[in-house]
Amino acid sequence: MAEQTLYEKAGGGESIEKVVDYFYEELVLKDPTVNQFFEHTDMVKQKRHQSKFISYALGGPNQYSGNSMAKAHEGMNLQPEHFDAIARHLHDALAHFGVSERDIDEALTRVAALRDDILYK
């Protein structure tokens, strides 16, 4: 039997949507380190894109058709502390929904690979 993807372990698309909702509403938008980046953001659209992106990053279906990471973060001049805050919030959101530390570490390793495409743009 094939090993489950992180996407499957996390519960699939519907569960990822719940993680993303919690990630933004309970963590990111309440964090003054990063919430200013979302002041003028259509959060319905943002959550939809983020759900698709995280699903893909966790080994689920590739439904993400948004901008590249570099293009999506262009002009934001994100710094390491911003990236680290978002990664910490993703960790906490996944943990909140029962994803194991091992699987969270693997997911965050995949996210960390995008660091250079996101910072200082």
Side-chain angles (χ1 to χ4, degrees), residues 8-51:
E8 292 165 333
K9 288 180 183 180
E14 194 172 302
S15 294
I16 297 296
E17 288 176 12
K18 290 177 184 175
V19 168
V20 169
D21 193 52
Y22 181 85
F23 168 76
Y24 282 113
E25 296 302 324
E26 298 302 323
L27 304 171
V28 173
L29 296 178
K30 293 181 179 179
D31 180 355
T33 306
V34 292
N35 62 6
Q36 72 275 12
F37 295 109
F38 300 94
E39 287 176 353
H40 305 291
T41 300
D42 176 343
M43 290 308 296
V44 171
K45 183 178 176 183
Q46 178 69 18
K47 288 177 187 178
R48 186 171 51 247
H49 276 292
Q50 190 74 340
S51 292

Side-chain angles (χ1 to χ4, degrees), residues 83-95:
F83 185 92
D84 294 345
I86 293 296
R88 184 174 61 253
H89 294 321
L90 180 56
H91 170 281
D92 294 350
L94 290 166

Side-chain angles (χ1 to χ4, degrees), residues 37-90:
F37 295 109
F38 300 94
E39 287 176 353
H40 305 291
T41 300
D42 176 343
M43 290 308 296
V44 171
K45 183 178 176 183
Q46 178 69 18
K47 288 177 187 178
R48 186 171 51 247
H49 276 292
Q50 190 74 340
S51 292
K52 289 178 181 179
F53 173 73
I54 289 176
S55 293
Y56 171 65
L58 297 182
N62 184 3
Q63 301 172 355
Y64 182 75
S65 60
N67 291 326
S68 69
M69 286 296 109
K71 185 73 173 166
H73 296 92
E74 193 173 65
M76 296 178 77
N77 193 28
L78 294 173
Q79 301 298 307
E81 61 267 21
H82 303 130
F83 185 92
D84 294 345
I86 293 296
R88 184 174 61 253
H89 294 321
L90 180 56

